[in-house]
Amino acid sequence: MTNLRLAWRKSLNGVMLTLTGVAAFGVVAVLFVILGFLIWNGGTSLNLAFFTQLPRGEGEIGGGMANAIVGSLKLLFLAAVIGLPIGLLAGVYLAEFGGKTFAFVTRYTTDLLNGAPSIVIGLFAFSIAVLPVKHFSVLAGGIALGVMVIPITVRSTEEFLRAIPNSLREGAMALGANKWKTIATVIIPAASGGIITGMLLSLARVAGETAPLIFTALNNQYWSPGLSQPSASLPVMIYIYALAPYDDWHRQAWAAGLVLLALVLTANISCRLILNRKGSSRSV
Amino acid sequence: MSTATSAIDHAAPPESGPRAFLRRMRGGDEVAHLITLVFAATILLITSIMVYELWVRSSLTRSKFGFAFFFSSVWDPVAEQFGAAPFIYGTLVTSLLALAIAVPLGLAAAIFLAELAPRKLSDIIAFLIDLLAAVPSVIYGLLGIFIIVPVMRTVIGPFLKASFSHIPLIGSLFQGPNYGVGFLTASIVLAIMIVPFIISVSREVLLTVPRDQREAALSLGATRWEATWKVVVPWARTGVLGSVFLALARALGETMAVTMVIGNTPKIAASLFSPGYSIAAVIANEFAEASGDAHRSALMELGLVLFLITFILNGFARLLIVATERGGGRPS
């Protein structure tokens, strides 16, 4: 009787522990399946025209996504200009000045903003940057992405500033520097590696965002000069091309997917390796 | 301003009144404090404006339909009749089904990473899983359309139909034509997308469980699995629950991947093969070409609903995770 029970417990142990391993490796396998499909389908579709030519009309074969690549870069630049300064300084406030209640409220709101669905942030950008001027623009798209950059930058900046030992602050103050000089010339430079990596990670995250762009930056078949016109972007092009009924557009959607994924993963891998080497095991 | 004077500022005994404030302003500390404070307040401002805009711009349909908006299933932009029931239904069904798939899978993987795998292997796998979380959702949509939908139509769908459709009750979930797109396909794609979040948060929570808890269970003769399942997991359950809420919030708000595989048909159907619609998907599809103020207002109201739900879920999830990591999650 007891032997039977022991055998049952032991086999249950073996089966369940094996299943947990299968689950872990199964999930990791998904990553490689995704990579495999994109490299296979995207790699065979990539060509020089993809990087140098404008999109062709509906159903026409050939053409590329040069304007979407430039558009994505422009959107990222705007997101950086709008989001990074707010994120950085708010992070400095939380780590160095923050009082009790206000800092708590800010931190909490930042987390909630971080969890807000990206499509809702698109609605927000539409309300403040498209409706008043009555046309879609790359600026509106940049605002949407910029808002998404803020919470990630705030939390990573705060974390890296907090990791700087207090002895550095005390040392600087003992030499006669006041607080802001200590922060600007000692603390931030000491944490700069981590802070910049965190910023790059936040940009990598919004680089693939589609939902906030489809009714802010919209799309454009041509180049989009300046800030006030609609612009193509890689994620939106993937969305539109994948749903279109043309084989050649599907081919280009795969190519764009490969380019986008390569960018996002390269940024992620290099940032995370740098962070790990700095001894911070926490993922941003 | 030279460092010498500011040193004197600091050495002076603390004074009060406007003169002292001015002097500290000249030293720069108060200015820096003020500037960073303004930027921190910007975050609160942005969030408030977001809620305000969604609230004001949805006023048309809010006053016209009231709560009937949530229960009506008529969605006719031309006749300006708006009911959100099919979208709410689709969002809930796909998100809950995705959780049903992702939670066991994610928890199991997190247990493996926290309890069994050697630290080095665990770190490598966690790294790869973080990369999986970084894959943009439009890429999941792309794979969904071209890989999962055909597999669903030709392999998984017919298999499920053959095995379950003649069973009473459960069978009704697998009735009707199988187009490949629909609730089940969207749920599977969503499950793949949220699993990394469940794993990485649960793993961190499980790793905070004190070592002596495991050792005590093992020394009493428990097997490794029993120690994990009956001691470690219950200890961490609040935090694990937090990761589940976090994942649910993600799933509810996920747009692109769902839009691309759910079928975009506003209908409430019991069958999981049926095409459906979700809140985020209808906003993505219709907002740019919204035909009029009422249509736009209805979509804004859907956005507001989505925002408030994820707001509440996220806040709740963070409270749970913080509670566990501070050691408040001990079994009572």
Side-chain angles (χ1 to χ4, degrees):
Chain A
M1 185 64 196
T2 43
N3 273 343
L4 206 67
R5 174 145 179 79
L6 190 65
W8 158 248
R9 286 173 57 203
K10 275 189 169 161
S11 51
L12 183 74
N13 182 47
V15 169
M16 294 314 275
L17 294 184
T18 317
L19 280 181
T20 62
V22 170
F25 284 102
V27 173
V28 170
V30 171
L31 178 68
F32 290 101
V33 169
I34 292 176
L35 281 177
F37 273 115
L38 275 154
I39 291 171
W40 177 253
N41 287 316
T44 50
S45 315
L46 264 184
N47 50 25
L48 190 64
F50 179 86
F51 295 100
T52 55
Q53 292 187 13
L54 284 176
R56 298 262 166 88
E58 293 257 324
E60 279 178 61
I61 290 181
M65 295 195 184
N67 61 341
I69 295 170
V70 173
S72 269
L73 292 177
K74 213 152 116 185
L75 283 164
L76 278 183
F77 175 75
L78 285 171
V81 168
I82 296 166
L84 294 183
I86 300 179
L88 174 70
L89 288 169
V92 170
Y93 172 79
L94 289 180
E96 302 291 333
F97 293 104
K100 249 194 161 155
T101 322
F102 186 69
F104 174 79
V105 172
T106 309
R107 218 168 271 137
Y108 206 75
T109 315
T110 309
D111 278 349
L112 295 181
L113 193 60
N114 193 19
S118 57
I119 187 114
V120 174
I121 291 174
L123 287 176
F124 164 72
F126 177 88
S127 303
I128 65 163
V130 176
L131 266 186
V133 297
K134 301 225 171 350
H135 58 81
F136 300 102
S137 67
V138 64
L139 180 63
I143 290 176
L145 297 187
V147 170
M148 301 192 68
V149 161
I150 295 172
I152 318 173
T153 314
V154 172
R155 294 319 297 265
S156 69
T157 304
E158 187 193 354
E159 204 173 300
F160 288 113
L161 287 178
R162 280 190 190 283
I164 301 296
N166 260 333
S167 52
L168 244 73
R169 294 185 180 85
E170 285 156 6
M173 289 197 167
L175 288 173
N178 54 10
K179 194 166 180 183
W180 77 266
K181 265 198 177 139
T182 309
I183 294 170
T185 59
V186 178
I187 308 299
I188 292 183
S192 60
I195 292 176
I196 292 170
T197 326
M199 288 175 165
L200 284 177
L201 269 181
S202 72
L203 288 177
R205 187 176 138 192
V206 298
E209 281 296 340
T210 318
L213 296 180
I214 44 185
F215 41 80
T216 51
L218 206 71
N219 195 12
N220 196 336
Q221 213 185 326
Y222 308 101
W223 297 103
S224 152
L227 296 178
S228 59
Q229 290 182 30
S231 166
S233 59
L234 275 181
V236 174
M237 287 297 255
I238 296 174
Y239 170 56
I240 293 172
Y241 273 41
L243 291 176
Y246 315 113
D247 281 342
D248 196 60
W249 280 26
H250 294 168
R251 176 186 70 76
Q252 292 191 43
W254 280 110
L258 178 62
V259 171
L260 184 64
L261 189 67
L263 282 176
V264 170
L265 287 189
T266 313
N268 264 282
I269 291 172
S270 38
C271 288
R272 282 171 206 279
L273 286 181
I274 293 170
L275 290 185
N276 282 351
R277 205 172 323 136
K278 283 184 175 296
S280 163
S281 67
R282 220 185 139 77
S283 52
V284 181
Chain B
M1 186 99 296
S2 73
T3 40
T5 29
S6 46
I8 293 168
D9 280 348
H10 276 261
E15 303 169 59
S16 55
R19 282 183 60 197
F21 182 75
L22 272 179
R23 190 176 313 158
R24 274 182 294 152
M25 284 286 261
R26 233 173 292 140
D29 278 2
E30 294 303 302
V31 179
H33 189 156
L34 214 65
I35 292 174
T36 56
L37 178 77
V38 166
F39 277 92
T42 310
I43 296 172
L44 301 182
L45 189 70
I46 290 174
T47 314
S48 327
I49 295 179
M50 200 176 286
V51 177
Y52 173 80
E53 289 284 346
L54 289 170
W55 180 259
V56 169
R57 302 216 186 268
S58 62
S59 58
L60 203 63
T61 41
R62 268 191 299 109
S63 59
K64 189 173 169 196
F65 299 107
F67 281 105
F69 182 74
F70 302 108
F71 302 109
S72 161
S73 53
V74 182
W75 183 266
D76 187 349
V78 181
E80 300 209 331
Q81 285 302 312
F82 299 103
F87 310 113
I88 296 171
Y89 175 81
T91 306
L92 289 180
V93 167
T94 49
S95 300
L96 293 179
L97 196 56
L99 277 190
I101 301 168
V103 169
L105 191 65
L107 186 57
I111 287 174
F112 178 78
L113 294 182
E115 302 293 317
L116 289 177
R119 192 59 202 244
K120 205 134 203 179
L121 178 68
S122 171
D123 281 346
I124 293 172
I125 294 181
F127 178 80
L128 293 173
I129 285 171
D130 278 346
L131 287 186
L132 193 61
V135 174
S137 67
V138 73
I139 304 262
Y140 283 104
L142 187 69
L143 288 156
I145 290 183
F146 294 115
I147 313 294
I148 299 181
V149 167
V151 169
M152 200 67 207
R153 192 164 47 218
T154 54
V155 184
I156 302 178
F159 167 76
L160 288 173
K161 214 169 219 181
S163 359
F164 295 111
S165 63
H166 50 271
I167 304 173
L169 227 63
I170 304 175
S172 61
L173 295 177
F174 303 98
Q175 296 298 334
N178 167 25
Y179 307 105
V181 296
F183 292 123
L184 186 58
T185 316
S187 308
I188 291 173
V189 175
L190 268 182
I192 298 172
M193 295 181 68
I194 60 176
V195 125
F197 293 98
I198 298 181
I199 297 177
S200 63
V201 178
S202 299
R203 169 178 179 254
E204 272 184 32
V205 173
L206 288 175
L207 284 174
T208 63
V209 176
R211 181 148 208 96
D212 50 16
Q213 291 291 319
R214 298 180 182 89
E215 284 165 359
L218 291 174
S219 70
L220 288 173
T223 60
R224 193 82 179 260
W225 170 250
E226 286 164 343
T228 303
W229 190 246
K230 294 186 176 156
V231 177
V232 176
V233 173
W235 176 283
R237 69 183 164 202
T238 334
V240 171
L241 199 63
S243 83
V244 172
F245 280 112
L246 219 54
L248 179 60
R250 291 252 160 206
L252 290 173
E254 174 47 47
T255 312
M256 299 324 294
V258 174
T259 310
M260 291 163 91
V261 299
I262 199 171
N264 297 339
T265 314
K267 113 178 173 189
I268 296 178
S271 170
L272 296 177
F273 292 138
S274 164
Y277 225 144
S278 81
I279 296 179
V282 72
I283 301 175
N285 274 324
E286 297 188 357
F287 196 80
E289 284 125 26
S291 47
D293 287 344
H295 192 187
R296 195 162 279 159
S297 163
L299 293 169
M300 280 282 182
E301 188 171 353
L302 285 176
L304 181 67
V305 170
L306 201 57
F307 192 42
L308 293 181
I309 294 174
T310 48
F311 227 86
I312 294 166
L313 281 175
N314 269 304
F316 194 50
R318 293 201 190 264
L319 285 181
L320 288 178
I321 293 168
V322 168
T324 322
E325 284 183 348
R326 286 195 183 144
R330 52 185 73 77
S332 46

